[in-house]
């Protein structure tokens, strides 16, 4: 009876080993590459380029052409061109007719007449609808005109107890401070001014995510000082900007102002490298200042493909949202596969050792030695 039981369990173990080997061989092409890719993704959770590449690898070629058509329909040739450049870099074929449409649209958008018209509109209203319009808005802010205008409007409402936009008021105060070099910066203040202006535009047009706007609003409220505004506002209305700037500087809370300036500088650097719309695009998807930092790093490394990546992936370009569980499951599957392979390898090694102990095996070892 004992002998039969022993034979039975040996048979079970042999069959189990055979099943394990078959499972390892069949699943290897799926688990091994996906598992190692997921493990690398989890290890590089703070590297936006790795996350971006992982997500882009899973997009179909049709996605690129559809995105280009959508960009052209939305009258955004710059975005269509960025998507086309991204597709070319990943060896994705784009239809020749669609490519020609994109090139014509880009050429038309860059025409002098179109640029001048939008430039003046942005400068006058402070609410640009295009890149050229944003240039006009930033130009007014770089000369303090935009900041003065917004401080008078929002600051007046604040002092009168009316509804006001704390976000816009705080950024305008910060912008005036940056222009007046109240807050020292490393190098030129231009990126900070460009970024601060872009943040204001995004706030005015509702293009800022709610979490990011709340974060900046908290900083803005801390930076605004009512007594200083009461002194500065009459000076600004009379055009005495230097005196108004000094009045604000006398009671500025520099810590939140520095946080605002750092964020504005990051956005401004993206705009100076990739274009103004690239900066506004990142403001539409970033939920935290940390997201802005990661997007800034991504922008520096992928160049003109940046807008395309933001359009196709959104916050997924820099976060593992929606991928974490999938990546974790592939990683666990890989760990189990490796454990099974290690067990089979151990069994194989032990079998080889037993063979080596047989008379023939011992003789073979001696001959080899």
């Amino acid at each position: 009876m004992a002998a039969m039981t022993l034979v039975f369990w040996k048979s079970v173990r042999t069959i189990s080993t055979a099943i394990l080997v078959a499972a390892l061989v069949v699943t290897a092409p799926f688990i091994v590459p996906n598992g190692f890719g997921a493990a690398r993704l989890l290890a590089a959770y703070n590297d936006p380029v790795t996350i971006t590449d992982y997500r882009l690898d899973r997009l179909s070629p049709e996605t690129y052409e559809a995105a280009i058509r959508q960009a052209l329909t939305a009258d955004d040739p710059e975005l269509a061109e960025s998507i086309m450049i991204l597709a070319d870099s990943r060896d994705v074929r784009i239809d020749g007719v669609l490519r020609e449409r994109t090139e014509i649209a880009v050429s038309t958008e860059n025409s002098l007449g179109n640029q001048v018209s939008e430039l003046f509109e942005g400068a006058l209203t402070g609410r640009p609808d295009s890149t050229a319009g944003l240039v006009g808005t930033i130009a007014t802010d770089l000369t303090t005109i935009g900041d003065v205008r917004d401080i008078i409007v929002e600051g007046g409402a604040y002092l009168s107890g009316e509804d006001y936009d704390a976000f816009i008021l705080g950024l305008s105060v910060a912008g005036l401070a940056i222009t007046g070099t109240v807050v020292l910066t490393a190098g030129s203040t231009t990126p900070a001014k460009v970024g601060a202006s872009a943040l204001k535009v995004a706030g005015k047009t509702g293009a800022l995510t709610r979490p990011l706007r709340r974060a900046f609003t908290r900083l803005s409220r801390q930076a605004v000082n009512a007594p200083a505004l009461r002194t500065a506002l009459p000076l600004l209305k009379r055009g005495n900007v230097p005196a108004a700037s000094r009045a604000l500087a006398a009671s500025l809370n520099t810590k939140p102002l520095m946080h605002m300036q750092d964020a504005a500088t990051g956005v401004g650097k993206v705009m100076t490298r990739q274009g103004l719309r690239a900066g506004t695009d990142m403001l539409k998807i970033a939920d935290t200042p940390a997201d802005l930092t990661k997007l800034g790093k991504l922008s520096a490394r992928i160049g003109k493909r940046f807008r395309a990546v933001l359009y196709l992936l959104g916050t997924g370009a820099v976060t593992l949202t929606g991928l974490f569980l999938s990546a974790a499951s592939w990683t666990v599957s890989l760990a189990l596969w490796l454990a099974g392979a290690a067990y089979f390898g151990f069994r194989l090694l032990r079998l080889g050792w037993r063979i080596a102990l047989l008379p023939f095996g011992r003789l073979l070892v001696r001959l080899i030695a």
Side-chain angles (χ1 to χ4, degrees), residues 43-208:
Y45 71 95
N46 205 33
D47 181 6
V49 176
T50 301
I51 296 173
T52 294
D53 285 339
Y54 186 87
R55 289 188 184 273
L56 288 176
D57 286 341
R58 280 146 183 79
L59 293 182
S60 65
E62 293 77 17
T63 302
Y64 292 88
E65 290 195 350
I68 292 174
R69 291 191 182 92
Q70 290 168 4
L72 292 175
T73 301
D75 195 23
D76 193 347
E78 182 184 314
L79 174 58
E81 182 184 37
S82 177
I83 298 170
M84 191 168 65
I85 292 173
L86 177 63
D88 291 341
S89 71
R90 305 188 71 83
D91 297 324
V92 176
R93 183 182 177 279
I94 299 299
D95 177 71
V97 175
L98 187 60
R99 183 183 294 274
E100 186 177 356
R101 280 183 58 197
T102 301
E103 292 171 352
I104 293 173
V106 171
S107 177
T108 301
E109 185 186 48
N110 292 334
S111 66
L112 180 61
N114 190 44
Q115 295 281 350
V116 171
S117 173
E118 293 173 348
L119 181 68
F120 279 110
E121 182 179 352
L124 291 173
T125 65
R127 296 175 180 270
D129 295 320
S130 66
T131 302
L134 186 55
V135 170
T137 300
I138 291 175
T140 61
D141 282 346
L142 289 175
T143 57
T144 73
I145 295 174
D147 289 330
V148 169
R149 176 194 62 211
D150 291 331
I151 291 174
I152 290 174
V153 173
E154 302 296 342
Y158 169 68
L159 294 177
S160 301
E162 301 173 2
D163 289 337
Y164 75 102
D165 194 328
F167 174 80
I168 299 299
L169 178 58
L171 279 174
S172 300
V173 170
L176 197 64
I178 293 169
T179 304
T181 64
V182 175
V183 180
L184 298 178
T185 59
S188 173
T189 59
T190 301
K193 285 294 297 177
V194 170
S197 181
L199 283 165
K200 284 202 299 180
V201 170
K204 289 178 179 179
T205 58
L208 208 65

Side-chain angles (χ1 to χ4, degrees), residues 12-367:
V12 170
R13 187 162 54 181
T14 301
I15 294 172
S16 299
T17 302
I19 293 174
L20 173 62
V21 172
L24 290 174
V25 172
V26 171
T27 59
F30 305 98
I31 291 181
V32 174
N34 285 299
F36 277 111
R40 285 194 297 268
L41 183 65
L42 292 176
Y45 71 95
N46 205 33
D47 181 6
V49 176
T50 301
I51 296 173
T52 294
D53 285 339
Y54 186 87
R55 289 188 184 273
L56 288 176
D57 286 341
R58 280 146 183 79
L59 293 182
S60 65
E62 293 77 17
T63 302
Y64 292 88
E65 290 195 350
I68 292 174
R69 291 191 182 92
Q70 290 168 4
L72 292 175
T73 301
D75 195 23
D76 193 347
E78 182 184 314
L79 174 58
E81 182 184 37
S82 177
I83 298 170
M84 191 168 65
I85 292 173
L86 177 63
D88 291 341
S89 71
R90 305 188 71 83
D91 297 324
V92 176
R93 183 182 177 279
I94 299 299
D95 177 71
V97 175
L98 187 60
R99 183 183 294 274
E100 186 177 356
R101 280 183 58 197
T102 301
E103 292 171 352
I104 293 173
V106 171
S107 177
T108 301
E109 185 186 48
N110 292 334
S111 66
L112 180 61
N114 190 44
Q115 295 281 350
V116 171
S117 173
E118 293 173 348
L119 181 68
F120 279 110
E121 182 179 352
L124 291 173
T125 65
R127 296 175 180 270
D129 295 320
S130 66
T131 302
L134 186 55
V135 170
T137 300
I138 291 175
T140 61
D141 282 346
L142 289 175
T143 57
T144 73
I145 295 174
D147 289 330
V148 169
R149 176 194 62 211
D150 291 331
I151 291 174
I152 290 174
V153 173
E154 302 296 342
Y158 169 68
L159 294 177
S160 301
E162 301 173 2
D163 289 337
Y164 75 102
D165 194 328
F167 174 80
I168 299 299
L169 178 58
L171 279 174
S172 300
V173 170
L176 197 64
I178 293 169
T179 304
T181 64
V182 175
V183 180
L184 298 178
T185 59
S188 173
T189 59
T190 301
K193 285 294 297 177
V194 170
S197 181
L199 283 165
K200 284 202 299 180
V201 170
K204 289 178 179 179
T205 58
L208 208 65
T209 63
R210 289 184 179 181
L212 193 59
R213 184 185 176 96
R214 283 196 297 268
F216 283 122
T217 297
R218 284 194 297 270
L219 295 173
S220 298
R221 290 184 186 279
Q222 296 169 13
V224 172
N225 181 279
L229 276 178
R230 292 192 183 95
T231 303
L233 228 57
L235 295 172
L236 290 176
K237 290 178 180 179
R238 291 198 298 269
N240 194 346
V241 177
S245 181
R246 289 193 295 271
L248 291 171
S251 56
L252 279 176
N253 188 344
T254 58
K255 188 174 180 179
L257 200 63
M258 288 293 289
H259 286 311
M260 294 168 65
Q261 179 181 326
D262 289 342
T265 301
V267 175
K269 285 181 178 179
V270 170
M271 288 186 156
T272 55
R273 285 195 300 256
Q274 310 298 342
L276 301 178
R277 280 179 174 171
T280 57
D281 285 349
M282 65 189 286
L283 292 177
K284 293 176 184 178
I285 66 172
D287 289 332
T288 66
D291 286 347
L292 290 177
T293 301
K294 291 179 182 178
L295 289 169
K297 292 179 181 178
L298 181 64
S299 167
R301 295 171 67 177
I302 67 174
K304 290 185 177 181
R305 296 168 291 170
F306 183 64
R307 287 200 69 204
V309 167
L310 295 188
Y311 182 81
L312 293 171
L313 303 181
T315 52
V318 294
T319 66
L320 290 177
T321 303
L323 275 181
F324 184 82
L325 290 179
S326 175
S329 64
W330 277 116
T331 304
V332 171
S333 298
L334 175 64
L336 293 175
W337 189 93
L338 292 174
Y343 172 75
F344 174 71
F346 170 75
R347 292 290 304 275
L348 195 62
L349 182 63
R350 189 172 67 171
L351 178 61
W353 179 252
R354 286 180 177 177
I355 293 174
L357 293 179
L358 293 174
F360 177 76
R362 288 196 297 270
L363 177 61
L364 185 61
V365 171
R366 289 193 189 99
L367 289 175

